[in-house]
Amino acid sequence: MKRILIISPYFPPSNAADMQRIRMSLPYFKQNGWQADVVVVDEQYSEMVKDDLLLLSIPADVTIYKVNALSKKITAKVGLGSLALRSMWSYLKTVNKLLKEKKYDLIYFSTTQFPITILGPYWKTKFNIPYVIDMQDPWHSDYYKSKPKSEQPAKYWFSYRLNKYMEPIALKKVDGLISVSESYIDDLKERYPVIKNIPSATIPFGAFDIDLKIASDNISGFVSILQPGFKNIVYVGRGGADMHQALNITFTALKKCIDTNQGASKKIRLYFIGTSYAPAGYGKQTIAPLARHYGLENHVVEYTDRISYYHTLNVLQHADALFIPGSDDPAYTASKIYPYILTGKPLLALFHINSPALEVLKEYEAPFAYAYNSDNEVLENICTFFSAIADGDLLQTTYNPTAIKKYSAENMALRQCKLFNSVITQ
């Protein structure tokens, strides 16, 4: 049995998107020949929403090591809030000790807390252990450089320069790459020719059906969000100006549907839940103002506060239909596709024409997945979707079972393990 040491600063019970790959893969690593240990940051140092139910999906035979981090109350005074930077020293000490005491075949960074990956070259040199990085998002990117300041992330000037400096430290010596988007890998190999021939794989997040059962079994613990008596269409996830192109088309179609369909006018409610990463009560709405522009304030509801993972699944299970708006970034692919599909609910999805998400949805045979544009056919199709929901004509959707199996968490874990095997045998 080969041994892998996984670096994932966020981990259950912290409800962070970037730990989901590891959480959903851990039950399947061992059957593919890899025994995993995970080094995480103690959840007391995370400001993420906590969801203790996430712990129910972690196999009992996986050893979890917790490291400390500097208090954000202290580091925020000098502008440093990153969990990776706050935990760097503790990671260095803890993992050094582990690598001296145990034999590992591979180190696997799976996180969007990318600064922590600069420890990979150090451990590779000191302990002769290869490492793999999971690029769930771009690290150093020019995407926001031309955007107005109002659309740039907080402290963008500092983070842009820090990322530009740190990324080559970690990437130039990496032994393998995994990413949710092929374009992320292509960009990195073009930027750093020295890694052109290392093993790499484009592996999306998987569909983890165990989660739906956990959500169903714990339904009594969730507060109801959706309004009874309406046809509730739900999106749970971040908002942002980069989604406005998709939303402009959606709201244009919804407005047309409401103006021409009395049933839709009275019944349709479109929910956007958890749209901000800010602490509860401090989030800035990015969807509701656009909805008001279209005169849809009585039909579009935005809650900026994030909810727990299983509360999210519970809301999806009780919705009449689901919605995913894509980013204007062509490389963007939404990992939430997979749990949405598992609910069997009708799904409306709009993505950039070059987004890999569209190809995935095509494999699922999702009938209401479109590249967003303003031509009449797409508008009519979206309007038809809303009318069908309002009239009760769309209740369940049957998705392609071959795609469901292909994109299962179990199969995604198998593909990761194949990449691991390639790295240690090259």
Side-chain angles (χ1 to χ4, degrees), residues 16-34:
D18 67 345
M19 65 81 194
Q20 299 289 9
R21 162 112 66 199
I22 292 305
R23 184 184 68 85
M24 296 177 184
S25 299
L26 284 173
Y28 309 111
F29 278 159
K30 197 168 186 179
Q31 70 189 40
N32 292 303
W34 287 88

Side-chain angles (χ1 to χ4, degrees), residues 216-352:
S216 296
D217 290 347
N218 292 275
I219 187 173
S220 61
F222 304 123
V223 176
S224 178
I225 293 178
L226 306 182
Q227 295 175 284
F230 294 95
K231 295 294 185 179
N232 295 311
I233 304 170
V234 172
Y235 165 75
V236 183
R238 71 165 183 87
D242 63 310
M243 294 181 171
H244 281 190
Q245 288 190 42
L247 292 174
N248 279 325
I249 307 303
T250 304
F251 290 164
T252 298
L254 179 57
K255 177 63 174 173
K256 179 180 179 181
C257 180
I258 288 171
D259 288 344
T260 58
N261 183 319
Q262 191 66 22
S265 177
K266 293 180 178 180
K267 297 179 181 178
I268 291 290
R269 290 291 182 276
L270 181 54
Y271 285 81
F272 295 82
I273 301 170
T275 55
S276 173
Y277 290 114
Y282 290 91
K284 180 181 178 181
Q285 290 188 328
T286 56
I287 310 299
L290 187 65
R292 286 194 292 272
H293 173 75
Y294 283 90
L296 295 171
E297 57 270 23
N298 294 326
H299 300 274
V300 174
V301 181
E302 180 179 9
Y303 293 118
T304 59
D305 290 355
R306 298 176 71 80
I307 60 176
S308 71
Y309 181 73
Y310 289 104
H311 193 180
T312 293
L313 294 182
N314 177 262
V315 171
L316 299 182
Q317 288 171 318
H318 286 84
D320 295 286
L322 308 176
F323 174 53
I324 304 178
S327 169
D328 59 15
D329 179 357
Y332 176 82
T333 180
S335 59
K336 58 180 61 67
I337 285 174
Y338 307 103
Y340 279 44
I341 291 289
L342 285 180
T343 67
K345 300 287 184 176
L347 171 64
L348 172 64
L350 279 83
F351 286 91
H352 188 284

